Amino acid sequence: MDNRLAARDSMEKQTHGTNIEWTHVPGYKGETWNPVRGCVKISPGCKHCYAETTAERFRGVPGHAYEQGFDLRLAPWLLPKPLRHRKPRAYFVNSMSDLHQDGVPHKFLRAAYSVMGACRRHIFMVLTKRAEGMRTDLGALRMDRGPFESYEDFSGPFIQENMRAFAEAPPPNIWLGVSVEDRKWGLPRIDILRTIPAAVRFLSVEPLLEGLGPLDLSGIHWVIIGGESGPGARPFDIDWAEQIVIQCKEQGVPVFLKQLGAAPVRSFGDMPIKIRLKSKKGSDEAEWPSHLRGLKQFPQIVRAA
């Protein structure tokens, strides 16, 4: 890496350990990887976007990774980072963005997925609210048999012979997920996700904004549940989480209960009663109902040979 890239890489520090608990897969170090940053809100789950809040704090700060705030921006110099890490990582891909939003070029997606396919020692968790976009993008990648092209700073020694575009047989280390915040927007994403070839398909049911009703979890390998945290957090009814947990157990799907959020409630008839917790995010299991504790399950992991 030349001095210019090294300086930029040091300044931005976009790949680092993370406190996002569901990336702490046993045997892997949880990290984030943000070769894309910035996004546009598309559904109710986006209302209190933590990534936007974080990014906009630094708008206009010269030299900062988020000098442009939450505007869409590609960071191709970050593409090769996972190639340099030898110990197994579990990467949340674009914790500060959405890889499958409009404006991310096919060429860039191909480079990103090629890195994921090349780094079989790592796990890559790709989460989107744009399920249709993910299906279209990955379909296009599977059809692309052309020679691999470099992408700006991502070139030279970083183009490895073993790098391949996303193939018909999805690499076991690439996990694809969709956000499910409610029935109107979230449930259709599940149906679309089910049609996308993937070794692991997962749901991030966070922030959960209402009861989801009966769920068909066929073809789904993992469910993450969480209430909203931060200023203006919307209510999270513990009954909603309990119904999902029951269905996960009935259908044999591992479930990871992340937090009850900053505004947990318990409904008695039509009357939601606020539950006051010491933990600001509702993440202290000692304050949870006993039958919800210990639900930190992960899907079955298939390690590359």
Side-chain angles (χ1 to χ4, degrees):
M1 177 181 290
D2 63 32
N3 292 335
R4 178 174 57 87
L5 285 183
R8 188 188 292 178
D9 183 58
S10 176
M11 175 185 70
E12 303 204 36
K13 297 181 180 178
Q14 285 301 300
T15 304
H16 49 75
T18 177
N19 292 325
I20 299 173
E21 194 177 7
W22 49 265
T23 67
H24 298 173
V25 179
Y28 296 78
K29 180 182 179 182
E31 297 202 9
T32 59
W33 178 44
N34 286 288
V36 177
R37 60 193 57 150
C39 200
V40 176
K41 295 178 179 179
I42 62 168
S43 69
C46 302
K47 182 176 181 180
H48 298 143
C49 178
Y50 77 89
E52 179 186 40
T53 300
T54 300
E56 288 298 332
R57 290 173 184 164
F58 302 101
R59 180 179 289 277
V61 177
H64 195 277
Y66 293 96
E67 181 179 356
Q68 286 81 31
F70 207 50
D71 298 345
L72 174 62
R73 183 186 176 206
L74 305 181
W77 57 90
L78 296 175
L79 285 169
K81 276 199 161 188
L83 293 168
R84 300 197 297 270
H85 290 154
R86 306 310 304 173
K87 293 184 179 180
R89 261 80 165 170
Y91 288 104
F92 178 8
V93 180
N94 283 327
S95 63
M96 296 291 289
S97 184
D98 191 323
L99 188 60
H100 292 284
Q101 64 183 295
D102 293 341
V104 179
H106 171 83
K107 187 176 177 180
F108 193 90
L109 285 170
R110 191 179 185 202
Y113 274 100
S114 292
V115 170
M116 298 182 215
C119 296
R120 298 297 182 94
R121 60 191 174 277
H122 305 319
I123 290 172
F124 295 89
M125 305 168 177
V126 184
L127 178 63
T128 187
K129 287 185 174 67
R130 296 161 171 83
E132 188 61 59
M134 174 184 275
R135 179 165 62 184
T136 299
D137 289 340
L138 294 183
L141 290 179
R142 292 188 198 96
M143 297 296 293
D144 190 342
R145 296 292 185 266
F148 188 91
E149 301 176 68
S150 64
Y151 194 97
E152 295 183 14
D153 296 322
F154 183 52
S155 59
F158 301 125
I159 303 297
Q160 306 293 327
E161 288 185 3
N162 65 340
M163 291 176 59
R164 296 175 294 174
F166 199 78
E168 276 301 332
N173 65 320
I174 299 178
W175 299 5
L176 303 181
V178 295
S179 298
V180 181
E181 69 265 47
D182 60 13
R183 294 187 294 272
K184 177 181 178 180
W185 294 88
L187 295 185
R189 294 181 189 133
I190 302 176
D191 292 332
I192 295 172
L193 178 64
R194 226 189 315 270
T195 69
I196 305 175
V200 172
R201 301 184 192 90
F202 69 97
L203 310 180
S204 176
V205 188
E206 181 188 8
L208 180 57
L209 302 177
E210 66 178 357
L212 298 181
L215 292 173
D216 176 7
L217 297 175
S218 59
I220 304 301
H221 307 97
W222 191 30
V223 174
I224 304 163
I225 307 172
E228 193 167 48
S229 60
R234 289 163 285 184
F236 174 87
D237 195 319
I238 294 176
D239 290 346
W240 304 338
E242 289 173 335
Q243 290 304 311
I244 297 173
V245 169
I246 290 171
Q247 295 182 77
C248 285
K249 290 181 177 179
E250 291 176 344
Q251 299 181 52
V253 178
V255 60
F256 192 107
L257 182 54
K258 177 184 173 184
Q259 61 191 34
L260 302 186
V265 302
R266 174 72 86 174
S267 292
F268 293 92
D270 295 329
M271 180 67 69
I273 305 299
K274 292 183 179 180
I275 300 174
R276 300 194 179 280
L277 305 176
K278 294 180 181 179
S279 171
K280 292 183 179 180
K281 296 183 179 181
S283 58
D284 184 355
E285 289 190 56
E287 298 186 284
W288 297 3
S290 59
H291 60 284
L292 294 180
R293 298 171 192 166
L295 292 175
K296 304 291 184 183
Q297 301 167 351
F298 290 93
Q300 183 177 359
I301 299 169
V302 179
R303 291 184 180 271

